[in-house]
């Protein structure tokens, strides 16, 4: 079966992951809910274009995340906060083997038996993806992204004149509930 290869791709709420394509005719394999799409753009080009669609630049989103969270490496990107689209890289974004995962689609992750250097990501539609990163790295990335979402929502509330009290529990977006319990929140890079 021959798959269609598209010139470019627009990130949507259905985008689950951007993976490097190991085929000669494409640079990215996109996982969407129920679909696999091959694209000529590389994953970072797709992320950068999506940031522009969301009225910012990748560099601006990255700098804002660094400023608001302190993390300087493998920074989560608020691609389009107005539409709750957030992604994070599994490795350095410039690394060819980097996978971009979209926070809202991740249901769970586990380590395969006898290999703590890999992680099986389970998406909400039960699709599974094997990553060559440890579960602790993925847990850190999930934590950073949830913190990025929280900070974006707090900023949105403040800009709309809603008082934010850091001593009370966050109660902004009623639809937002964390899907993964974090065991270790220390040792952030």
């Amino acid at each position: 079966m021959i798959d269609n290869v598209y010139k470019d791709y627009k990130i949507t709420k259905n985008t689950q992951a951007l993976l490097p394509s190991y085929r000669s005719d494409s640079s990215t394999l996109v996982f969407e809910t129920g679909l696999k799409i091959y694209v000529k753009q590389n994953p970072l080009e797709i992320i950068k274009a999506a940031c522009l669609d969301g009225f910012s630049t990748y560099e601006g989103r990255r700098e804002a995340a660094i400023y608001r969270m302190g993390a300087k490496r493998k920074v989560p990107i608020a691609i389009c906060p107005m539409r709750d689209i957030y992604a994070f890289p599994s490795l350095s974004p410039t690394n060819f083997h980097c996978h971009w995962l979209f926070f809202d689609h991740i249901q769970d992750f586990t380590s395969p038996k006898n290999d703590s250097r890999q992680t099986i990501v389970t998406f909400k539609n039960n699709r599974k993806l094997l990553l060559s990163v440890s579960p602790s790295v993925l847990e850190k990335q999930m934590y950073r992204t949830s913190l990025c979402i929280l900070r974006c929502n707090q900023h949105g509330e403040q800009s709309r004149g809603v008082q934010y009290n850091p001593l009370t529990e966050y109660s902004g977006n009623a639809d937002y509930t964390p899907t993964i319990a974090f065991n270790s929140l220390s040792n952030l890079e």
Side-chain angles (χ1 to χ4, degrees), residues 65-85:
I66 289 169
Y67 175 77
R68 295 291 303 228
M69 298 178 340
K72 294 183 181 178
R73 297 180 355 182
K74 295 186 283 186
V75 176
I77 301 297
I79 291 172
C80 187
M82 294 178 296
R83 294 178 47 219
D84 291 322
I85 300 176

Side-chain angles (χ1 to χ4, degrees), residues 126-144:
N126 290 318
R127 173 182 271 157
K128 295 191 185 308
L129 174 65
L130 180 65
L131 293 177
S132 294
V133 297
S134 70
S136 64
V137 167
L138 193 60
E139 182 176 1
K140 186 184 298 185
Q141 290 302 91
M142 290 291 293
Y143 171 74
R144 284 179 177 170

Side-chain angles (χ1 to χ4, degrees), residues 24-41:
S24 62
D25 62 350
S26 60
S27 295
T28 303
L29 170 58
V30 178
F31 280 1
E32 268 195 9
T33 308
L35 295 173
K36 287 183 180 179
I37 302 166
Y38 289 93
V39 182
K40 291 188 179 189
Q41 289 174 293

Side-chain angles (χ1 to χ4, degrees), residues 46-62:
I46 294 170
I47 294 286
K48 287 181 176 184
C51 289
L52 288 172
D53 287 341
F55 292 93
S56 187
T57 63
Y58 168 80
E59 292 77 12
R61 296 276 191 220
R62 186 175 183 282

